[in-house]
Amino acid sequence: MNYQLLYFASLRDAAGRVEETVASQARDPRTLYTELAARYGFNPTNTHLRVAVNSAFAMWDHALADGDEVAFLPPVSGG
Amino acid sequence: MNYQLLYFASLRDAAGRVEETVASQARDPRTLYTELAARYGFNPTNTHLRVAVNSAFAMWDHALADGDEVAFLPPVSGG
Amino acid sequence: MSGSAPRAMDGCLRDFQMHTSVFTLSYSPIDAAALRRGIEGLGIGAAVVFEGRVRDHNDGRIVLGLVYQAYAELAKAEGARIMDEARERFAIERAVCVHRTGELALGELAVWVGVCAAHRDAAFAACRYVIDEVKVRVPIWKREHYADGDAEWLHPAD
Amino acid sequence: MSGSAPRAMDGCLRDFQMHTSVFTLSYSPIDAAALRRGIEGLGIGAAVVFEGRVRDHNDGRIVLGLVYQAYAELAKAEGARIMDEARERFAIERAVCVHRTGELALGELAVWVGVCAAHRDAAFAACRYVIDEVKVRVPIWKREHYADGDAEWLHPAD
């Protein structure tokens, strides 16, 4: 399936891109993150991150659909 | 002794004056207030009031000196 | 803007590093924008401002306006004590409070409290402390004018 | 002033009686004076404003400036939820929060929260609630530039 990935903050710097479309066999964010972590050198553990699918917070085992927009969110530091 | 009296809020309305100099035998604010309450129809009990002498909060049994400025302060309602 | 508040604030701006606290009375309208500039600064991460305004109703009665009367000398002394206490109790940089006196129309600012600090905990706590203490300790009295023609001094039971 | 914040505020002023809460992001500098006018009103006795600003130091390092990056769509949605929660939990009239994005210089406003209410208890509590929740829930990230040439994203441990 194809996913629209968005990257923010340190993950954006590590991936070297703001967004991209990836083709992946992953069916949930957990598996997708593991793929991307291997590709870009992200921290392989994901316990510090949150997941958003289609601009809404989602669970790590959320069932992804083709074309979904997915973002892995580092701890926030606004305010 | 002569005292410089200042009146505020409802006591100013009841006394019909902002300030005045009074000659009194009173030697403390408690006695002075009793005199003024009788003269102007103030509430004879003073438990709701505070006393200031020479622009500082004072006790009801403060020893007054000739020329002291005395004010009896109703509960405040600023802010 | 005339009145003592803006002048006090100009002083803050001129002597930027001066840690200070200011309490003043203002017979003329309070200039919130000028006061706000007095609590800015490069070392300051957080500012909290409280504004008390004249409401059009109180306790179910329609209010047309009000008068604040102050025992000015004692009010300024007691207000200064409160500001000093706020500086002692909380890790703040500056605290400013201006209380209006005289006749106020609906919507006008009655009191302005501004506190700045490195962090927001102290700024919130100090701002709250100042307004709470000012309301119960500073000799200022409010007389409300009501739509029914009545007017009265507010003397909350202690 | 351009940006969505002033426009949101104009809306508040036009429809005065509308009880509302607003969360926006602003790429241009935050106009605190314009925002403040959005929380005025004749039924309002208390207003509390929190301002977060760019400090010249953090954790002992000298800061030269910073960048806020936001996941805009989710940030606006989560921010709106926080404002709604504040309205549900506290007896307030209006709550407004604007968070800056992009490059900020020292002293610039990073975030502005304004709440107005009939009474100060609710105004203080709601203002505090909004900034506390925004800081931990809204997907916005800060990258500080330091005097030693380093720069890093701040990702506080959860």
XYZ file of all heavy atoms in Angstrom, chain B residues 6-13 47-57 69-79, chain C residues 68-74 77-78 81 99 110-111 131 134-143 153-158:
486
model
N -10.384 61.322 59.303
C -10.660 61.116 57.879
C -11.830 60.129 57.778
O -11.874 59.141 58.507
C -9.450 60.512 57.159
C -8.134 61.272 57.261
C -7.046 60.511 56.479
C -8.286 62.683 56.705
N -12.755 60.400 56.847
C -13.910 59.513 56.676
C -13.928 58.969 55.259
O -13.637 59.694 54.301
C -15.210 60.276 56.952
C -15.295 60.809 58.364
C -15.059 62.160 58.631
C -15.605 59.963 59.420
C -15.122 62.654 59.918
C -15.675 60.457 60.726
C -15.430 61.802 60.966
O -15.502 62.279 62.242
N -14.315 57.699 55.166
C -14.359 57.047 53.846
C -15.659 56.277 53.651
O -16.228 55.756 54.606
C -13.178 56.082 53.690
C -11.855 56.762 53.719
C -11.097 56.793 54.885
C -11.365 57.420 52.598
C -9.876 57.443 54.920
C -10.144 58.069 52.627
C -9.399 58.089 53.789
N -16.081 56.241 52.399
C -17.188 55.376 51.961
C -18.446 55.656 52.792
O -18.840 56.824 52.945
C -16.749 53.927 52.003
N -19.078 54.631 53.345
C -20.357 54.831 54.034
C -20.205 55.721 55.270
O -21.129 56.462 55.620
C -20.967 53.475 54.433
O -20.035 52.730 55.184
N -19.049 55.680 55.911
C -18.852 56.555 57.077
C -18.748 58.019 56.631
O -19.198 58.925 57.330
C -17.601 56.152 57.863
C -17.629 54.779 58.541
C -16.389 54.593 59.413
C -18.893 54.589 59.382
N -18.185 58.249 55.462
C -18.103 59.615 54.927
C -19.511 60.128 54.634
O -19.839 61.279 54.959
C -17.259 59.645 53.654
C -17.141 61.032 53.051
C -16.258 61.054 51.804
N -14.855 60.798 52.134
C -13.863 60.867 51.244
N -14.119 61.175 49.971
N -12.619 60.630 51.608
N -20.326 59.270 54.058
C -21.703 59.674 53.767
C -22.454 59.967 55.061
O -23.199 60.952 55.160
C -22.434 58.577 52.980
C -21.873 58.417 51.560
O -20.980 59.201 51.169
O -22.335 57.501 50.857
N -16.791 45.986 65.274
C -16.067 44.754 64.933
C -15.820 44.611 63.431
O -14.944 43.845 63.021
C -16.843 43.514 65.424
O -18.192 43.616 64.951
C -16.859 43.459 66.941
N -16.597 45.310 62.615
C -16.423 45.204 61.165
C -15.385 46.198 60.641
O -15.047 46.176 59.464
C -17.757 45.437 60.468
C -18.366 46.774 60.790
N -18.675 47.158 62.070
C -18.697 47.809 60.001
C -19.174 48.381 62.052
N -19.195 48.796 60.814
N -14.906 47.071 61.502
C -14.007 48.150 61.057
C -12.552 47.850 61.385
O -12.253 47.056 62.274
C -14.403 49.462 61.749
C -15.840 49.937 61.569
C -16.069 51.192 62.403
C -16.141 50.194 60.102
N -11.665 48.525 60.639
C -10.265 48.591 61.030
C -9.932 50.052 61.345
O -10.660 50.963 60.956
C -9.355 48.067 59.920
C -9.377 46.543 59.837
C -8.266 45.995 58.932
N -8.492 46.388 57.557
C -7.643 46.130 56.548
N -6.512 45.489 56.798
N -7.917 46.517 55.319
N -8.831 50.231 62.037
C -8.398 51.572 62.442
C -7.064 51.879 61.786
O -6.204 51.001 61.687
C -8.194 51.647 63.971
C -7.804 53.074 64.379
C -9.420 51.170 64.705
N -6.914 53.120 61.344
C -5.602 53.588 60.896
C -5.260 54.863 61.659
O -6.111 55.738 61.847
C -5.610 53.859 59.394
N -4.013 54.929 62.096
C -3.511 56.132 62.776
C -2.284 56.602 61.995
O -1.349 55.810 61.775
C -3.149 55.843 64.247
C -2.543 57.096 64.891
C -4.381 55.380 65.020
N -2.331 57.841 61.565
C -1.227 58.419 60.772
C -0.877 57.531 59.582
O 0.285 57.198 59.337
C -0.003 58.659 61.667
C -0.333 59.644 62.776
O -1.140 60.560 62.604
N 0.257 59.440 63.948
N -1.917 57.102 58.866
C -1.771 56.337 57.626
C -1.113 54.979 57.815
O -0.491 54.458 56.880
C -0.992 57.136 56.571
O -1.702 58.319 56.269
N -1.278 54.406 59.013
C -0.816 53.034 59.237
C -1.898 52.306 60.034
O -2.556 52.906 60.900
C 0.501 53.022 59.997
N -2.067 51.021 59.733
C -3.046 50.263 60.509
C -2.636 50.262 61.981
O -1.454 50.227 62.311
C -3.146 48.818 59.982
C -3.754 48.745 58.617
C -2.996 48.307 57.529
C -5.086 49.108 58.401
C -3.552 48.243 56.255
C -5.643 49.040 57.120
C -4.875 48.612 56.055
N -3.656 61.703 63.070
C -4.665 61.515 62.032
C -5.282 60.130 62.238
O -4.563 59.132 62.336
C -3.996 61.583 60.659
C -4.920 61.349 59.488
C -4.130 61.172 58.195
O -3.741 62.199 57.611
O -3.882 60.009 57.790
N -6.606 60.089 62.357
C -7.286 58.827 62.676
C -8.363 58.559 61.627
O -9.098 59.468 61.231
C -7.927 58.874 64.076
C -8.586 57.527 64.408
C -6.899 59.242 65.136
N -8.437 57.301 61.182
C -9.497 56.911 60.242
C -10.056 55.558 60.655
O -9.307 54.669 61.058
C -8.956 56.846 58.816
N -11.373 55.426 60.561
C -12.043 54.151 60.805
C -12.461 53.598 59.445
O -13.160 54.283 58.685
C -13.239 54.352 61.729
C -12.831 54.902 63.068
C -12.981 56.259 63.355
C -12.250 54.080 64.016
C -12.574 56.777 64.571
C -11.837 54.590 65.244
C -11.994 55.949 65.519
N -12.021 52.386 59.159
C -12.123 51.873 57.796
C -13.163 50.767 57.677
O -12.996 49.689 58.244
C -10.759 51.328 57.352
C -9.571 52.271 57.584
C -8.261 51.589 57.186
C -9.749 53.576 56.819
N -14.229 50.999 56.920
C -15.198 49.933 56.652
C -14.532 48.818 55.829
O -13.461 49.020 55.250
C -16.283 50.638 55.813
C -16.031 52.091 55.946
C -14.575 52.247 56.230
N -15.176 47.643 55.784
C -14.635 46.573 54.939
C -14.410 47.075 53.521
O -15.267 47.754 52.943
C -15.743 45.513 54.979
C -16.430 45.746 56.275
C -16.393 47.230 56.494
N -13.267 46.717 52.953
C -12.868 47.272 51.657
C -13.515 46.494 50.508
O -13.927 45.338 50.661
C -11.341 47.283 51.511
C -10.711 48.100 52.621
C -10.767 45.871 51.488
N -13.602 47.147 49.349
C -14.239 46.504 48.188
C -13.564 46.937 46.885
O -14.227 47.130 45.878
C -15.733 46.836 48.173
O -15.957 48.232 48.334
N -12.243 47.045 46.943
C -11.511 47.345 45.720
C -11.356 46.082 44.871
O -11.820 45.003 45.236
N -10.704 46.259 43.745
C -10.373 45.104 42.897
C -11.460 44.759 41.916
O -12.542 45.253 41.974
N -14.739 54.417 42.719
C -13.791 53.871 43.690
C -13.223 55.026 44.503
O -12.717 56.005 43.936
C -12.637 53.145 43.013
C -12.949 51.748 42.568
C -13.034 51.434 41.225
C -13.149 50.730 43.498
C -13.300 50.135 40.811
C -13.420 49.434 43.098
C -13.501 49.151 41.752
O -13.775 47.867 41.352
N -13.325 54.891 45.815
C -12.744 55.882 46.717
C -11.596 55.194 47.456
O -11.749 54.049 47.890
C -13.818 56.317 47.713
C -13.501 57.518 48.541
C -14.681 57.838 49.462
O -14.741 57.358 50.584
N -15.643 58.601 48.971
N -10.478 55.879 47.586
C -9.319 55.263 48.240
C -8.805 56.147 49.373
O -8.905 57.373 49.315
C -8.189 55.043 47.231
N -8.305 55.501 50.388
C -7.496 56.192 51.402
C -6.081 56.128 50.819
O -5.329 55.188 51.059
C -7.616 55.430 52.717
C -6.890 56.011 53.907
C -6.142 57.185 53.834
C -6.970 55.382 55.140
C -5.499 57.699 54.939
C -6.328 55.875 56.256
C -5.588 57.028 56.144
O -4.943 57.530 57.259
N -5.747 57.145 50.026
C -4.629 57.019 49.093
C -3.310 56.672 49.777
O -2.587 55.770 49.340
C -4.484 58.304 48.277
N -2.996 57.392 50.850
C -1.672 57.193 51.447
C -1.528 55.763 51.992
O -0.532 55.081 51.745
C -1.457 58.228 52.554
C -0.005 58.348 52.961
C 0.235 59.559 53.850
O -0.644 60.449 53.909
O 1.306 59.602 54.499
N -2.571 55.320 52.704
C -2.511 53.967 53.265
C -2.631 52.908 52.164
O -1.997 51.852 52.229
C -3.612 53.785 54.316
C -3.660 52.441 55.033
C -2.308 52.078 55.649
C -4.746 52.453 56.106
N 0.719 52.432 50.612
C 1.652 51.739 51.509
C 1.305 50.255 51.604
O 2.186 49.384 51.525
C 1.609 52.378 52.896
N 0.014 49.956 51.764
C -0.389 48.550 51.887
C -0.200 47.824 50.547
O 0.226 46.668 50.515
C -1.848 48.464 52.348
C -2.332 47.067 52.678
C -1.715 46.498 53.954
O -0.887 47.175 54.596
O -2.061 45.356 54.306
N 3.355 46.899 50.193
C 3.691 45.717 51.009
C 3.296 44.430 50.292
O 4.036 43.437 50.295
C 2.975 45.795 52.365
C 3.788 46.492 53.448
C 3.141 46.347 54.816
N 1.916 47.128 54.942
C 1.886 48.411 55.296
N 2.999 49.065 55.543
N 0.733 49.046 55.382
N -4.475 50.430 40.522
C -5.901 50.427 40.844
C -6.479 51.791 40.514
O -5.933 52.818 40.884
C -6.128 50.105 42.320
C -7.513 49.608 42.602
N -8.639 50.387 42.405
C -7.958 48.404 43.030
C -9.712 49.672 42.717
N -9.333 48.468 43.099
N -10.782 48.459 36.217
C -10.755 48.850 37.622
C -9.391 48.577 38.230
O -8.902 49.354 39.054
C -11.828 48.087 38.389
N -8.812 47.470 37.839
C -7.508 47.102 38.396
C -6.745 46.291 37.355
O -7.333 45.521 36.585
C -7.670 46.316 39.715
C -8.473 45.042 39.515
C -6.331 46.011 40.365
N -3.778 40.041 43.382
C -5.168 40.494 43.276
C -5.969 40.036 44.501
O -6.811 40.787 45.014
C -5.829 40.066 41.942
C -7.218 40.679 41.824
C -5.859 38.574 41.759
C -7.253 42.204 41.877
N -4.918 42.384 47.388
C -5.382 43.759 47.158
C -6.867 43.862 47.500
O -7.311 44.816 48.139
C -5.118 44.186 45.701
C -5.934 45.434 45.333
C -3.625 44.439 45.498
N -7.628 42.875 47.098
C -9.076 42.943 47.304
C -9.470 42.937 48.778
O -10.517 43.480 49.128
C -9.769 41.772 46.588
C -9.865 41.972 45.078
C -10.542 40.813 44.392
C -12.029 40.894 44.420
N -12.592 41.705 43.328
N -8.688 42.315 49.628
C -9.086 42.232 51.041
C -8.311 43.177 51.953
O -8.741 43.412 53.080
C -8.978 40.784 51.591
C -9.947 39.871 50.855
C -7.565 40.257 51.515
N -7.206 43.724 51.482
C -6.359 44.496 52.402
C -6.238 45.973 52.064
O -5.970 46.790 52.956
C -4.950 43.893 52.433
C -4.889 42.570 53.179
C -3.596 41.832 52.918
N -2.407 42.654 53.185
C -1.164 42.245 52.956
N -0.942 41.038 52.458
N -0.145 43.040 53.213
N -6.349 46.341 50.808
C -6.051 47.732 50.439
C -7.299 48.605 50.635
O -8.384 48.252 50.156
C -5.562 47.798 48.981
C -5.400 49.234 48.525
C -4.239 47.036 48.842
N -7.175 49.713 51.350
C -8.346 50.551 51.656
C -8.868 51.325 50.443
O -8.535 52.482 50.239
C -7.852 51.479 52.775
C -6.370 51.511 52.628
C -5.960 50.181 52.059
N -9.666 50.606 49.654
C -10.363 51.168 48.497
C -11.798 50.660 48.583
O -12.030 49.500 48.918
C -9.711 50.705 47.172
C -8.254 51.190 47.083
C -10.524 51.191 45.973
C -7.496 50.653 45.879
N -12.735 51.565 48.296
C -14.150 51.196 48.415
C -14.881 51.486 47.117
O -14.607 52.487 46.447
C -14.805 51.984 49.551
C -14.204 51.675 50.885
C -14.594 50.695 51.757
C -13.095 52.347 51.513
N -13.794 50.711 52.874
C -12.865 51.707 52.763
C -12.262 53.404 51.138
C -11.856 52.106 53.629
C -11.255 53.796 52.007
C -11.072 53.150 53.234
N -15.828 50.617 46.838
C -16.591 50.707 45.584
C -18.033 51.107 45.884
O -18.678 50.529 46.767
C -16.572 49.347 44.893
C -17.441 49.261 43.646
C -17.052 48.089 42.770
C -17.225 46.736 43.451
N -16.846 45.631 42.532
N -18.519 52.085 45.133
C -19.925 52.492 45.232
C -20.561 52.252 43.874
O -20.175 52.858 42.879
C -20.022 53.967 45.608
C -21.442 54.462 45.842
C -21.374 55.884 46.404
N -22.661 56.345 46.887
C -23.470 57.129 46.190
N -23.125 57.526 44.971
N -24.620 57.526 46.700
N -22.483 51.799 48.801
C -21.118 51.363 49.057
C -21.120 49.871 49.320
O -21.965 49.374 50.060
C -20.541 52.098 50.272
C -20.276 53.535 49.973
C -21.032 54.607 50.357
C -19.197 54.060 49.206
N -20.494 55.772 49.877
C -19.355 55.467 49.171
C -18.104 53.495 48.547
C -18.453 56.295 48.488
C -17.225 54.328 47.880
C -17.400 55.716 47.851
N -20.162 49.196 48.727
C -20.027 47.762 48.991
C -19.040 47.570 50.142
O -17.872 47.962 50.033
C -19.547 47.031 47.735
C -20.673 46.701 46.741
C -21.210 47.968 46.080
C -20.203 45.714 45.705
N -19.575 46.976 51.215
C -18.735 46.690 52.377
C -18.880 45.218 52.720
O -19.643 44.849 53.612
C -19.162 47.542 53.580
C -18.894 49.006 53.405
N -17.734 49.489 52.849
C -19.624 50.090 53.729
C -17.776 50.818 52.834
N -18.916 51.214 53.356
N -18.173 44.364 51.997
C -18.338 42.910 52.213
C -18.110 42.564 53.683
O -17.209 43.105 54.317
C -17.239 42.297 51.345
C -16.753 43.380 50.455
C -17.089 44.674 51.087
N -18.946 41.663 54.212
C -18.736 41.205 55.593
C -17.373 40.543 55.676
O -17.008 39.741 54.823
C -19.834 40.226 55.983
N -16.623 40.903 56.697
C -15.272 40.321 56.845
C -15.340 38.824 57.129
O -16.252 38.374 57.783
C -14.528 41.030 57.983
C -13.768 42.237 57.449
O -13.639 42.362 56.210
O -13.328 43.043 58.262
